[in-house]
Amino acid sequence: DGRGPPWWIRGEFLLSGWVLLVLVGLAAGVFVASAKRDSSELERQAITMLVAYTAQLILIGVLLYAFARIQGSSISSGNPSDSGSLSSGPLLWAAGIGVLGFIVAFPTAQAFGMLAGAVQRKITGMDPDAIGHQTLQAIKDSPGDGWALVIMITVVLVTPVIEEFAYRGLVQQGFRRLGASRPVAIVITSCLFVFMHVPALPGGSIFAAVVTLLVLSIVFGWLFERTGRLTAPIVAHGLFNLLNLILFEIGF
């Protein structure tokens, strides 16, 4: 139906933007680790997120400006080889699709994760860890720490924006613009999405967590292709993080 990718940018430029975002995030982590040697784990994670996200948001602004210039030049030159579909659904409609996608994706992803955990238990004889992310573990280890609130607000409001711009906006569109089909682009992007999250996953639950993230990422990719807007996967991603935090807080 002509939806996604909506940006008229060459695939190698989009993928290069993703590499720059990753490098900026890694550089921020190294900087904070060297400057905050005596800080708690929770404080270090919170400050790392704030520094990395600030730098990445600045870079996103620069990339969008550069992409707008490139896209403007393509339009003015009238080169059809550089043009892609700009068709996209209305903003509120895309947000609504994101909510519906989350309603379907959350129980589906959790079911696949539980199945993967059962397979892990059968093969290794070990139960998966109850907490599937190191950030949640850090919050549990530091009850009442004010930095926990900073992290929770950040992962609900900021993390989805940056990650969906990076993976659906840059990587998925990049592979689409390089000629990959929609399913291939979604699967490749989802594998990269999971791979980049592996360092934050506890070893005892990595199998279940990887399967859960893979299912979620595939849904996020489909939401973007279906709507032509990043709004849909951003909303679904934010709701997923929010519900996970709520379930964690009530001890479910």
Side-chain angles (χ1 to χ4, degrees):
D1 58 4
R3 302 195 188 280
W7 295 346
W8 299 0
I9 309 299
R10 291 170 60 179
E12 55 266 35
F13 290 166
L14 294 171
L15 294 174
S16 296
W18 173 72
V19 172
L20 287 175
L21 279 176
V22 172
L23 291 176
V24 165
L26 292 175
V30 172
F31 171 77
V32 173
S34 62
K36 303 292 290 183
R37 298 180 184 275
D38 298 329
S39 60
S40 66
E41 175 65 17
L42 198 63
E43 179 183 357
R44 184 188 64 78
Q45 288 194 25
I47 294 177
T48 299
M49 291 176 66
L50 293 175
V51 172
Y53 285 175
T54 299
Q56 288 175 325
L57 287 171
I58 294 173
L59 178 56
I60 286 173
V62 173
L63 290 174
L64 288 174
Y65 174 78
F67 292 164
R69 295 290 299 270
I70 295 172
Q71 187 160 289
S73 299
S74 298
I75 296 173
S76 62
S77 67
N79 186 352
S81 64
D82 290 334
S83 64
S85 171
L86 283 178
S87 175
S88 59
L91 185 64
L92 290 179
W93 173 78
I97 295 296
V99 173
L100 293 176
F102 161 75
I103 292 173
V104 173
F106 187 84
T108 303
Q110 294 298 329
F112 274 98
M114 293 173 63
L115 179 61
V119 172
Q120 172 184 318
R121 188 180 303 110
K122 184 71 173 179
I123 295 175
T124 66
M126 297 175 57
D127 290 329
D129 293 338
I131 298 178
H133 199 285
Q134 290 181 359
T135 300
L136 293 177
Q137 186 62 54
I139 294 175
K140 180 182 179 181
D141 293 340
S142 304
D145 194 320
W147 288 108
L149 181 60
V150 174
I151 290 178
M152 289 188 285
I153 293 174
T154 302
V155 299
V156 172
L157 299 180
V158 184
T159 299
V161 174
I162 293 178
E163 290 193 346
E164 293 310 309
F165 178 89
Y167 290 95
R168 258 49 69 176
L170 298 178
V171 177
Q172 187 167 311
Q173 289 193 96
F175 283 109
R176 285 290 315 280
R177 295 291 286 160
L178 289 176
S181 65
R182 289 180 176 179
V184 170
I186 290 173
V187 170
I188 293 176
T189 301
S190 297
C191 290
L192 283 173
F193 180 81
V194 172
F195 176 77
M196 296 300 292
H197 283 79
V198 166
L201 304 177
S205 61
I206 190 168
F207 192 26
V210 162
V211 172
T212 300
L213 287 176
L214 182 62
V215 173
L216 282 170
S217 185
I218 290 173
V219 173
F220 295 160
W222 179 86
L223 287 172
F224 173 70
E225 293 293 339
R226 177 65 183 84
T227 63
R229 285 188 177 274
L230 289 173
T231 304
I234 287 173
V235 168
H237 196 154
L239 289 173
F240 172 78
N241 289 354
L242 175 62
L243 184 54
N244 267 326
L245 286 172
I246 291 174
L247 294 176
F248 168 75
E249 286 297 320
I250 65 178
F252 182 75

